[in-house]
Amino acid sequence: KDSVGCGEFHDLIQLVELASMTNMSVIQLLPVNDTSVHDNWMDSYPYSALSVFALHPMYISLPQVLAHYGGSGDAGILSEIEGHRRALDGPTVNYEGVMKAKGDVCGKLLSLYWKRCHRDEEFNDFVEENAFWLSPYATFCAMKSFFGHSDHSDWGSMRNPAYAIKRVLGGRTLKDLFNPDADLSLALPGSSIGSRQGKDPKGNEALLSSFASVMRHAVFVQFHLHLQFAKVKHCAEASAVALKGDLPIGVDKNSVECWVKRECFRMDVCAGSPPDYYSNEGQNWGFPTYDWEAMEREGFSWWKERLSHMANFFHAYRIDHILGFFRIWEVPARNKAKEEVSADDILLPGLLGRFRPVLTIQRSELDARGIWDIDRLCKPYITMDLLEELFGADLAQAVAAFFLFKRHEYYEFKEPFTES
C-alpha cells in the first residue's frame, strides 16, 4: 500500500516475513533487470533486458532513498511522493506513469544529495566494485538520451563503446561526476559527438553537462536499487527464505550488452521457436543469439560476471528456455530480398528458421531408407486440393500468376516468389 504504482523491492521484505510465518522456503521472481529500451509501455516486458546487470528503476522505493540521507522529514518531497502514490493507485500498473513519476522524483532527490555521494563510503564502494558494467551502462544511458533512441548501430562513431566511454569520461571515473570540485570541462576536446558535430567549446561544455546529468542519475538510481534489493536478500537469509531469480534466454539487440560485447552475439539472426500446436508460423522473439565460440575464446567471462552479479541478490536461478543453451532455433533478422527493411520494421516468422547447432542429414541416409522425394521434405507442398481450398473461383488466375505445374497434382512457386 505504501509503494508508488507497482510493487517495489522494499515490499519484498513483507513477503519474506509472510513466507517465513507460513513455512514457505522459496520466493521466485520474474526478471528484474532494466528493460528501458524504448522508454514506453513496451518496456514492461521483463524478458527483453537493456542490461543484464542494471536493476529496473520502477522497483525503487522513493521514501527509502529519502531515508538514506536522513530526509524522512522533507515534507515537500514526501507530499509529492504521496501524490504520485494516490494518482497511480489503480487496478493495473500504469507503466509509463510509474516510470515518469519515479524518474522525476529521483531527479529531485539527486539534485538535493548528489554532492554528498562522493563522501559516502558505501556509494564509493558500490561504484568501484561495479565499474565494469556501471560505466558502460551510464554511458549508454547518456548516448540514448542524446540520440533519442537505443539503436547503437545508428550512433555514428559512438557505435564503438570504448571510444564513446573515453570521449564522455575523458579518463575520469564515475565518482568524479559526483565530486563538485572535479574539472569536467575537457572531457570532450575538439568536437561534439555523432551527427551533431561542431567545434564550439561552449557547446561541448553544455553537452558534457547534459551527459553528466544523465549518468549521475543512472548511477544514483542503481546505487539505491542495489541497497534496497541487497537488504531484501539479507532479510531473506535471516528468515531462512531463499530468493530465486530468473535468467532470461536472451537480451535485447539494442542493449548495453550488444553494444559492449557485440562480438559475442549473432546479430544477423534472432532466437525463436519452430511451428508447433500453438503457433503455425513459429515464433520470432527478436533477440540475437549467443556466439558460443566467441564467448569461449573469452573464457565465458561475460557469463561469469553475470552470474556472480546475480548472486548479490539471489540464492538460486530459474534458467529461461534452458534447452536454448544447447541448441536454439535461429530466424534470419531481416528479409534478404528486401534489404531496405530493417529488423525494427518487421520480424520474419519463426517458420523460416532452423536449429543451431544441428546434425545434418546426408542424401545417402535418405536413399538408404527409401526416401526419394526430397522436394516433398524441403519445399512447400502445394497440391491442387490446397489451391482450390485457398483460391476457390480465382484458382485459374492465381495458378497462372504464381505457380508452375510440376507433376501429377503438385505445383511449385514461380522463381520471383521463392524468396522468403
mmCIF file of all heavy atoms in Angstrom, residues 12-56:
data_model
loop_
_atom_site.group_PDB
_atom_site.id
_atom_site.type_symbol
_atom_site.label_atom_id
_atom_site.label_comp_id
_atom_site.label_asym_id
_atom_site.label_seq_id
_atom_site.Cartn_x
_atom_site.Cartn_y
_atom_site.Cartn_z
ATOM 1 N N LEU A 12 9.210 -6.548 -0.777
ATOM 2 C CA LEU A 12 9.510 -7.974 -0.678
ATOM 3 C C LEU A 12 9.822 -8.395 0.752
ATOM 4 O O LEU A 12 9.702 -9.580 1.093
ATOM 5 C CB LEU A 12 10.692 -8.333 -1.594
ATOM 6 C CG LEU A 12 10.413 -8.321 -3.099
ATOM 7 C CD1 LEU A 12 11.706 -8.500 -3.883
ATOM 8 C CD2 LEU A 12 9.407 -9.400 -3.478
ATOM 9 N N ILE A 13 10.223 -7.433 1.567
ATOM 10 C CA ILE A 13 10.509 -7.772 2.960
ATOM 11 C C ILE A 13 9.250 -8.311 3.639
ATOM 12 O O ILE A 13 9.298 -9.281 4.413
ATOM 13 C CB ILE A 13 11.068 -6.541 3.703
ATOM 14 C CG1 ILE A 13 12.448 -6.178 3.132
ATOM 15 C CG2 ILE A 13 11.164 -6.808 5.204
ATOM 16 C CD1 ILE A 13 13.039 -4.921 3.726
ATOM 17 N N GLN A 14 8.106 -7.709 3.340
ATOM 18 C CA GLN A 14 6.844 -8.210 3.895
ATOM 19 C C GLN A 14 6.529 -9.609 3.372
ATOM 20 O O GLN A 14 6.000 -10.458 4.104
ATOM 21 C CB GLN A 14 5.709 -7.259 3.529
ATOM 22 C CG GLN A 14 5.864 -5.862 4.100
ATOM 23 C CD GLN A 14 4.736 -4.946 3.666
ATOM 24 O OE1 GLN A 14 3.567 -5.212 3.949
ATOM 25 N NE2 GLN A 14 5.061 -3.879 2.967
ATOM 26 N N LEU A 15 6.853 -9.855 2.098
ATOM 27 C CA LEU A 15 6.610 -11.183 1.531
ATOM 28 C C LEU A 15 7.525 -12.215 2.180
ATOM 29 O O LEU A 15 7.115 -13.361 2.432
ATOM 30 C CB LEU A 15 6.829 -11.145 0.017
ATOM 31 C CG LEU A 15 6.558 -12.448 -0.741
ATOM 32 C CD1 LEU A 15 5.132 -12.926 -0.511
ATOM 33 C CD2 LEU A 15 6.823 -12.255 -2.237
ATOM 34 N N VAL A 16 8.759 -11.821 2.463
ATOM 35 C CA VAL A 16 9.688 -12.717 3.158
ATOM 36 C C VAL A 16 9.133 -13.078 4.537
ATOM 37 O O VAL A 16 9.155 -14.247 4.951
ATOM 38 C CB VAL A 16 11.076 -12.055 3.284
ATOM 39 C CG1 VAL A 16 11.955 -12.834 4.278
ATOM 40 C CG2 VAL A 16 11.763 -11.974 1.931
ATOM 41 N N GLU A 17 8.615 -12.079 5.237
ATOM 42 C CA GLU A 17 8.050 -12.330 6.564
ATOM 43 C C GLU A 17 6.852 -13.272 6.476
ATOM 44 O O GLU A 17 6.690 -14.172 7.311
ATOM 45 C CB GLU A 17 7.647 -11.002 7.197
ATOM 46 C CG GLU A 17 8.835 -10.108 7.526
ATOM 47 C CD GLU A 17 8.423 -8.704 7.952
ATOM 48 O OE1 GLU A 17 7.218 -8.388 7.814
ATOM 49 O OE2 GLU A 17 9.293 -7.948 8.404
ATOM 50 N N LEU A 18 6.004 -13.070 5.447
ATOM 51 C CA LEU A 18 4.854 -13.957 5.264
ATOM 52 C C LEU A 18 5.306 -15.379 4.949
ATOM 53 O O LEU A 18 4.753 -16.349 5.479
ATOM 54 C CB LEU A 18 3.974 -13.425 4.130
ATOM 55 C CG LEU A 18 2.772 -14.296 3.737
ATOM 56 C CD1 LEU A 18 1.795 -14.411 4.904
ATOM 57 C CD2 LEU A 18 2.081 -13.728 2.502
ATOM 58 N N ALA A 19 6.309 -15.503 4.075
ATOM 59 C CA ALA A 19 6.819 -16.838 3.722
ATOM 60 C C ALA A 19 7.362 -17.548 4.946
ATOM 61 O O ALA A 19 7.123 -18.743 5.164
ATOM 62 C CB ALA A 19 7.897 -16.708 2.643
ATOM 63 N N SER A 20 8.082 -16.814 5.773
ATOM 64 C CA SER A 20 8.647 -17.412 6.978
ATOM 65 C C SER A 20 7.548 -17.857 7.942
ATOM 66 O O SER A 20 7.607 -18.956 8.517
ATOM 67 C CB SER A 20 9.568 -16.402 7.668
ATOM 68 O OG SER A 20 10.105 -16.927 8.862
ATOM 69 N N MET A 21 6.518 -17.038 8.098
ATOM 70 C CA MET A 21 5.415 -17.366 9.007
ATOM 71 C C MET A 21 4.627 -18.584 8.548
ATOM 72 O O MET A 21 4.066 -19.328 9.355
ATOM 73 C CB MET A 21 4.469 -16.162 9.136
ATOM 74 C CG MET A 21 5.068 -14.995 9.893
ATOM 75 S SD MET A 21 4.097 -13.468 9.710
ATOM 76 C CE MET A 21 2.436 -14.055 9.943
ATOM 77 N N THR A 22 4.576 -18.817 7.242
ATOM 78 C CA THR A 22 3.767 -19.909 6.687
ATOM 79 C C THR A 22 4.627 -21.097 6.234
ATOM 80 O O THR A 22 4.164 -21.956 5.503
ATOM 81 C CB THR A 22 2.937 -19.393 5.503
ATOM 82 O OG1 THR A 22 3.800 -18.776 4.543
ATOM 83 C CG2 THR A 22 1.913 -18.374 5.965
ATOM 84 N N ASN A 23 5.892 -21.093 6.671
ATOM 85 C CA ASN A 23 6.806 -22.208 6.384
ATOM 86 C C ASN A 23 7.059 -22.408 4.889
ATOM 87 O O ASN A 23 7.255 -23.541 4.432
ATOM 88 C CB ASN A 23 6.291 -23.511 7.008
ATOM 89 C CG ASN A 23 6.285 -23.455 8.521
ATOM 90 O OD1 ASN A 23 7.213 -22.932 9.130
ATOM 91 N ND2 ASN A 23 5.232 -23.973 9.130
ATOM 92 N N MET A 24 7.028 -21.328 4.124
ATOM 93 C CA MET A 24 7.442 -21.392 2.729
ATOM 94 C C MET A 24 8.917 -20.985 2.663
ATOM 95 O O MET A 24 9.330 -20.027 3.319
ATOM 96 C CB MET A 24 6.592 -20.472 1.856
ATOM 97 C CG MET A 24 5.161 -20.949 1.708
ATOM 98 S SD MET A 24 4.202 -19.982 0.499
ATOM 99 C CE MET A 24 3.960 -18.459 1.412
ATOM 100 N N SER A 25 9.697 -21.698 1.861
ATOM 101 C CA SER A 25 11.144 -21.505 1.905
ATOM 102 C C SER A 25 11.739 -20.847 0.671
ATOM 103 O O SER A 25 12.921 -20.520 0.664
ATOM 104 C CB SER A 25 11.842 -22.859 2.119
ATOM 105 O OG SER A 25 11.503 -23.765 1.080
ATOM 106 N N VAL A 26 10.944 -20.670 -0.385
ATOM 107 C CA VAL A 26 11.479 -20.089 -1.620
ATOM 108 C C VAL A 26 10.508 -19.054 -2.171
ATOM 109 O O VAL A 26 9.289 -19.290 -2.215
ATOM 110 C CB VAL A 26 11.732 -21.170 -2.710
ATOM 111 C CG1 VAL A 26 12.270 -20.513 -3.990
ATOM 112 C CG2 VAL A 26 12.722 -22.214 -2.217
ATOM 113 N N ILE A 27 11.045 -17.914 -2.593
ATOM 114 C CA ILE A 27 10.280 -16.891 -3.308
ATOM 115 C C ILE A 27 10.894 -16.742 -4.690
ATOM 116 O O ILE A 27 12.088 -16.448 -4.810
ATOM 117 C CB ILE A 27 10.304 -15.534 -2.577
ATOM 118 C CG1 ILE A 27 9.600 -15.632 -1.232
ATOM 119 C CG2 ILE A 27 9.671 -14.448 -3.448
ATOM 120 C CD1 ILE A 27 9.706 -14.378 -0.394
ATOM 121 N N GLN A 28 10.107 -16.993 -5.718
ATOM 122 C CA GLN A 28 10.604 -16.894 -7.096
ATOM 123 C C GLN A 28 10.093 -15.615 -7.744
ATOM 124 O O GLN A 28 8.908 -15.289 -7.653
ATOM 125 C CB GLN A 28 10.168 -18.101 -7.921
ATOM 126 C CG GLN A 28 10.674 -18.067 -9.357
ATOM 127 C CD GLN A 28 10.383 -19.361 -10.107
ATOM 128 O OE1 GLN A 28 10.316 -20.429 -9.503
ATOM 129 N NE2 GLN A 28 10.216 -19.265 -11.411
ATOM 130 N N LEU A 29 10.996 -14.901 -8.404
ATOM 131 C CA LEU A 29 10.667 -13.639 -9.051
ATOM 132 C C LEU A 29 10.860 -13.730 -10.555
ATOM 133 O O LEU A 29 11.677 -14.523 -11.037
ATOM 134 C CB LEU A 29 11.557 -12.513 -8.511
ATOM 135 C CG LEU A 29 11.548 -12.261 -7.009
ATOM 136 C CD1 LEU A 29 12.566 -11.183 -6.656
ATOM 137 C CD2 LEU A 29 10.164 -11.850 -6.537
ATOM 138 N N LEU A 30 10.125 -12.907 -11.286
ATOM 139 C CA LEU A 30 10.395 -12.709 -12.709
ATOM 140 C C LEU A 30 11.677 -11.897 -12.856
ATOM 141 O O LEU A 30 12.200 -11.365 -11.871
ATOM 142 C CB LEU A 30 9.221 -11.975 -13.365
ATOM 143 C CG LEU A 30 7.925 -12.770 -13.557
ATOM 144 C CD1 LEU A 30 6.809 -11.849 -14.024
ATOM 145 C CD2 LEU A 30 8.118 -13.901 -14.542
ATOM 146 N N PRO A 31 12.215 -11.747 -14.068
ATOM 147 C CA PRO A 31 13.418 -10.919 -14.248
ATOM 148 C C PRO A 31 13.186 -9.498 -13.733
ATOM 149 O O PRO A 31 12.104 -8.925 -13.916
ATOM 150 C CB PRO A 31 13.633 -10.928 -15.760
ATOM 151 C CG PRO A 31 12.989 -12.196 -16.225
ATOM 152 C CD PRO A 31 11.809 -12.395 -15.333
ATOM 153 N N VAL A 32 14.197 -8.934 -13.093
ATOM 154 C CA VAL A 32 14.071 -7.588 -12.511
ATOM 155 C C VAL A 32 15.104 -6.623 -13.090
ATOM 156 O O VAL A 32 15.365 -5.572 -12.511
ATOM 157 C CB VAL A 32 14.213 -7.647 -10.968
ATOM 158 C CG1 VAL A 32 13.033 -8.378 -10.352
ATOM 159 C CG2 VAL A 32 15.525 -8.300 -10.555
ATOM 160 N N ASN A 33 15.681 -6.964 -14.234
ATOM 161 C CA ASN A 33 16.676 -6.088 -14.858
ATOM 162 C C ASN A 33 16.021 -4.925 -15.591
ATOM 163 O O ASN A 33 14.848 -4.979 -15.969
ATOM 164 C CB ASN A 33 17.547 -6.884 -15.833
ATOM 165 C CG ASN A 33 18.435 -7.875 -15.134
ATOM 166 O OD1 ASN A 33 18.219 -9.071 -15.210
ATOM 167 N ND2 ASN A 33 19.435 -7.378 -14.418
ATOM 168 N N ASP A 34 16.811 -3.884 -15.806
ATOM 169 C CA ASP A 34 16.337 -2.711 -16.547
ATOM 170 C C ASP A 34 15.994 -3.120 -17.975
ATOM 171 O O ASP A 34 16.810 -3.731 -18.675
ATOM 172 C CB ASP A 34 17.432 -1.638 -16.554
ATOM 173 C CG ASP A 34 16.949 -0.317 -17.122
ATOM 174 O OD1 ASP A 34 15.781 -0.229 -17.548
ATOM 175 O OD2 ASP A 34 17.754 0.638 -17.148
ATOM 176 N N THR A 35 14.792 -2.784 -18.411
ATOM 177 C CA THR A 35 14.339 -3.096 -19.776
ATOM 178 C C THR A 35 14.020 -1.828 -20.566
ATOM 179 O O THR A 35 13.301 -1.889 -21.566
ATOM 180 C CB THR A 35 13.075 -3.984 -19.732
ATOM 181 O OG1 THR A 35 12.044 -3.289 -19.006
ATOM 182 C CG2 THR A 35 13.358 -5.324 -19.065
ATOM 183 N N SER A 36 14.551 -0.687 -20.162
ATOM 184 C CA SER A 36 14.154 0.610 -20.733
ATOM 185 C C SER A 36 14.757 0.847 -22.114
ATOM 186 O O SER A 36 15.522 1.795 -22.326
ATOM 187 C CB SER A 36 14.551 1.735 -19.785
ATOM 188 O OG SER A 36 14.045 1.519 -18.496
ATOM 189 N N VAL A 37 14.407 -0.006 -23.054
ATOM 190 C CA VAL A 37 14.930 0.086 -24.415
ATOM 191 C C VAL A 37 14.201 1.166 -25.211
ATOM 192 O O VAL A 37 14.813 1.959 -25.925
ATOM 193 C CB VAL A 37 14.812 -1.277 -25.137
ATOM 194 C CG1 VAL A 37 15.239 -1.150 -26.603
ATOM 195 C CG2 VAL A 37 15.661 -2.326 -24.425
ATOM 196 N N HIS A 38 12.870 1.203 -25.093
ATOM 197 C CA HIS A 38 12.056 2.113 -25.906
ATOM 198 C C HIS A 38 11.540 3.312 -25.128
ATOM 199 O O HIS A 38 10.996 4.248 -25.702
ATOM 200 C CB HIS A 38 10.849 1.357 -26.483
ATOM 201 C CG HIS A 38 11.203 0.110 -27.217
ATOM 202 N ND1 HIS A 38 11.209 -1.137 -26.613
ATOM 203 C CD2 HIS A 38 11.585 -0.098 -28.500
ATOM 204 C CE1 HIS A 38 11.566 -2.051 -27.492
ATOM 205 N NE2 HIS A 38 11.802 -1.454 -28.639
ATOM 206 N N ASP A 39 11.660 3.274 -23.816
ATOM 207 C CA ASP A 39 11.136 4.336 -22.949
ATOM 208 C C ASP A 39 9.634 4.518 -23.121
ATOM 209 O O ASP A 39 9.120 5.646 -23.144
ATOM 210 C CB ASP A 39 11.876 5.659 -23.194
ATOM 211 C CG ASP A 39 13.320 5.607 -22.705
ATOM 212 O OD1 ASP A 39 13.574 4.915 -21.707
ATOM 213 O OD2 ASP A 39 14.184 6.240 -23.346
ATOM 214 N N ASN A 40 8.923 3.421 -23.263
ATOM 215 C CA ASN A 40 7.459 3.449 -23.288
ATOM 216 C C ASN A 40 6.928 2.133 -22.724
ATOM 217 O O ASN A 40 7.691 1.322 -22.185
ATOM 218 C CB ASN A 40 6.926 3.737 -24.701
ATOM 219 C CG ASN A 40 7.366 2.703 -25.733
ATOM 220 O OD1 ASN A 40 7.496 1.510 -25.425
ATOM 221 N ND2 ASN A 40 7.604 3.138 -26.954
ATOM 222 N N TRP A 41 5.618 1.910 -22.873
ATOM 223 C CA TRP A 41 4.980 0.744 -22.268
ATOM 224 C C TRP A 41 5.536 -0.585 -22.759
ATOM 225 O O TRP A 41 5.432 -1.606 -22.065
ATOM 226 C CB TRP A 41 3.469 0.783 -22.536
ATOM 227 C CG TRP A 41 3.130 0.661 -24.009
ATOM 228 C CD1 TRP A 41 2.972 1.674 -24.893
ATOM 229 C CD2 TRP A 41 2.947 -0.552 -24.748
ATOM 230 N NE1 TRP A 41 2.696 1.185 -26.153
ATOM 231 C CE2 TRP A 41 2.676 -0.187 -26.090
ATOM 232 C CE3 TRP A 41 2.980 -1.899 -24.420
ATOM 233 C CZ2 TRP A 41 2.448 -1.129 -27.090
ATOM 234 C CZ3 TRP A 41 2.756 -2.837 -25.420
ATOM 235 C CH2 TRP A 41 2.486 -2.443 -26.730
ATOM 236 N N MET A 42 6.151 -0.597 -23.953
ATOM 237 C CA MET A 42 6.695 -1.860 -24.469
ATOM 238 C C MET A 42 7.805 -2.405 -23.565
ATOM 239 O O MET A 42 8.087 -3.598 -23.570
ATOM 240 C CB MET A 42 7.233 -1.655 -25.892
ATOM 241 C CG MET A 42 6.099 -1.398 -26.855
ATOM 242 S SD MET A 42 6.516 -1.096 -28.599
ATOM 243 C CE MET A 42 8.200 -1.404 -28.754
ATOM 244 N N ASP A 43 8.422 -1.541 -22.778
ATOM 245 C CA ASP A 43 9.489 -1.971 -21.881
ATOM 246 C C ASP A 43 8.976 -2.732 -20.665
ATOM 247 O O ASP A 43 9.766 -3.210 -19.853
ATOM 248 C CB ASP A 43 10.291 -0.754 -21.400
ATOM 249 C CG ASP A 43 10.988 -0.024 -22.532
ATOM 250 O OD1 ASP A 43 11.307 -0.668 -23.543
ATOM 251 O OD2 ASP A 43 11.217 1.198 -22.415
ATOM 252 N N SER A 44 7.646 -2.847 -20.527
ATOM 253 C CA SER A 44 7.096 -3.579 -19.387
ATOM 254 C C SER A 44 7.305 -5.086 -19.518
ATOM 255 O O SER A 44 7.120 -5.830 -18.553
ATOM 256 C CB SER A 44 5.602 -3.276 -19.225
ATOM 257 O OG SER A 44 4.879 -3.668 -20.386
ATOM 258 N N TYR A 45 7.704 -5.535 -20.708
ATOM 259 C CA TYR A 45 8.016 -6.954 -20.916
ATOM 260 C C TYR A 45 9.342 -7.269 -20.215
ATOM 261 O O TYR A 45 10.375 -6.691 -20.561
ATOM 262 C CB TYR A 45 8.114 -7.235 -22.413
ATOM 263 C CG TYR A 45 8.479 -8.658 -22.774
ATOM 264 C CD1 TYR A 45 7.687 -9.722 -22.401
ATOM 265 C CD2 TYR A 45 9.642 -8.926 -23.511
ATOM 266 C CE1 TYR A 45 8.012 -11.022 -22.742
ATOM 267 C CE2 TYR A 45 9.983 -10.222 -23.863
ATOM 268 C CZ TYR A 45 9.165 -11.268 -23.470
ATOM 269 O OH TYR A 45 9.496 -12.561 -23.811
ATOM 270 N N PRO A 46 9.373 -8.153 -19.221
ATOM 271 C CA PRO A 46 10.572 -8.309 -18.391
ATOM 272 C C PRO A 46 11.691 -9.142 -18.995
ATOM 273 O O PRO A 46 12.770 -9.226 -18.408
ATOM 274 C CB PRO A 46 10.025 -8.989 -17.127
ATOM 275 C CG PRO A 46 8.861 -9.795 -17.621
ATOM 276 C CD PRO A 46 8.243 -8.972 -18.725
ATOM 277 N N TYR A 47 11.453 -9.765 -20.161
ATOM 278 C CA TYR A 47 12.461 -10.669 -20.721
ATOM 279 C C TYR A 47 13.302 -10.033 -21.830
ATOM 280 O O TYR A 47 14.007 -10.734 -22.540
ATOM 281 C CB TYR A 47 11.783 -11.939 -21.240
ATOM 282 C CG TYR A 47 11.337 -12.856 -20.127
ATOM 283 C CD1 TYR A 47 10.069 -12.744 -19.579
ATOM 284 C CD2 TYR A 47 12.200 -13.805 -19.600
ATOM 285 C CE1 TYR A 47 9.654 -13.562 -18.543
ATOM 286 C CE2 TYR A 47 11.803 -14.634 -18.559
ATOM 287 C CZ TYR A 47 10.534 -14.508 -18.039
ATOM 288 O OH TYR A 47 10.149 -15.325 -17.001
ATOM 289 N N SER A 48 13.215 -8.718 -22.003
ATOM 290 C CA SER A 48 13.979 -8.035 -23.049
ATOM 291 C C SER A 48 14.862 -6.983 -22.405
ATOM 292 O O SER A 48 14.569 -5.787 -22.428
ATOM 293 C CB SER A 48 13.025 -7.395 -24.072
ATOM 294 O OG SER A 48 13.743 -6.855 -25.161
ATOM 295 N N ALA A 49 15.969 -7.411 -21.830
ATOM 296 C CA ALA A 49 16.780 -6.557 -20.975
ATOM 297 C C ALA A 49 17.587 -5.526 -21.755
ATOM 298 O O ALA A 49 18.184 -5.832 -22.785
ATOM 299 C CB ALA A 49 17.725 -7.396 -20.127
ATOM 300 N N LEU A 50 17.613 -4.304 -21.224
ATOM 301 C CA LEU A 50 18.562 -3.288 -21.688
ATOM 302 C C LEU A 50 19.937 -3.577 -21.116
ATOM 303 O O LEU A 50 20.953 -3.299 -21.736
ATOM 304 C CB LEU A 50 18.099 -1.900 -21.244
ATOM 305 C CG LEU A 50 19.031 -0.735 -21.581
ATOM 306 C CD1 LEU A 50 18.859 -0.337 -23.038
ATOM 307 C CD2 LEU A 50 18.760 0.453 -20.668
ATOM 308 N N SER A 51 19.953 -4.140 -19.915
ATOM 309 C CA SER A 51 21.205 -4.519 -19.245
ATOM 310 C C SER A 51 20.932 -5.708 -18.352
ATOM 311 O O SER A 51 19.924 -5.736 -17.636
ATOM 312 C CB SER A 51 21.734 -3.351 -18.403
ATOM 313 O OG SER A 51 22.768 -3.777 -17.532
ATOM 314 N N VAL A 52 21.835 -6.678 -18.374
ATOM 315 C CA VAL A 52 21.665 -7.844 -17.503
ATOM 316 C C VAL A 52 22.254 -7.593 -16.118
ATOM 317 O O VAL A 52 22.162 -8.451 -15.235
ATOM 318 C CB VAL A 52 22.315 -9.104 -18.119
ATOM 319 C CG1 VAL A 52 21.677 -9.449 -19.456
ATOM 320 C CG2 VAL A 52 23.823 -8.945 -18.253
ATOM 321 N N PHE A 53 22.858 -6.421 -15.926
ATOM 322 C CA PHE A 53 23.437 -6.067 -14.625
ATOM 323 C C PHE A 53 22.598 -5.009 -13.900
ATOM 324 O O PHE A 53 22.439 -5.075 -12.686
ATOM 325 C CB PHE A 53 24.862 -5.552 -14.808
ATOM 326 C CG PHE A 53 25.808 -6.563 -15.382
ATOM 327 C CD1 PHE A 53 26.143 -6.549 -16.729
ATOM 328 C CD2 PHE A 53 26.362 -7.555 -14.585
ATOM 329 C CE1 PHE A 53 27.008 -7.482 -17.266
ATOM 330 C CE2 PHE A 53 27.227 -8.502 -15.110
ATOM 331 C CZ PHE A 53 27.553 -8.470 -16.461
ATOM 332 N N ALA A 54 22.087 -4.026 -14.637
ATOM 333 C CA ALA A 54 21.310 -2.952 -14.024
ATOM 334 C C ALA A 54 19.939 -3.451 -13.595
ATOM 335 O O ALA A 54 19.308 -4.248 -14.286
ATOM 336 C CB ALA A 54 21.172 -1.784 -14.998
ATOM 337 N N LEU A 55 19.476 -2.965 -12.456
ATOM 338 C CA LEU A 55 18.145 -3.300 -11.959
ATOM 339 C C LEU A 55 17.132 -2.301 -12.509
ATOM 340 O O LEU A 55 17.482 -1.180 -12.892
ATOM 341 C CB LEU A 55 18.138 -3.271 -10.431
ATOM 342 C CG LEU A 55 19.054 -4.301 -9.757
ATOM 343 C CD1 LEU A 55 19.141 -4.049 -8.258
ATOM 344 C CD2 LEU A 55 18.578 -5.723 -10.034
ATOM 345 N N HIS A 56 15.864 -2.707 -12.527
ATOM 346 C CA HIS A 56 14.844 -1.856 -13.156
ATOM 347 C C HIS A 56 14.460 -0.698 -12.234
ATOM 348 O O HIS A 56 14.074 -0.911 -11.075
ATOM 349 C CB HIS A 56 13.601 -2.678 -13.483
ATOM 350 C CG HIS A 56 12.794 -2.080 -14.585
ATOM 351 N ND1 HIS A 56 12.261 -0.811 -14.516
ATOM 352 C CD2 HIS A 56 12.444 -2.553 -15.803
ATOM 353 C CE1 HIS A 56 11.619 -0.534 -15.627
ATOM 354 N NE2 HIS A 56 11.708 -1.570 -16.427
#
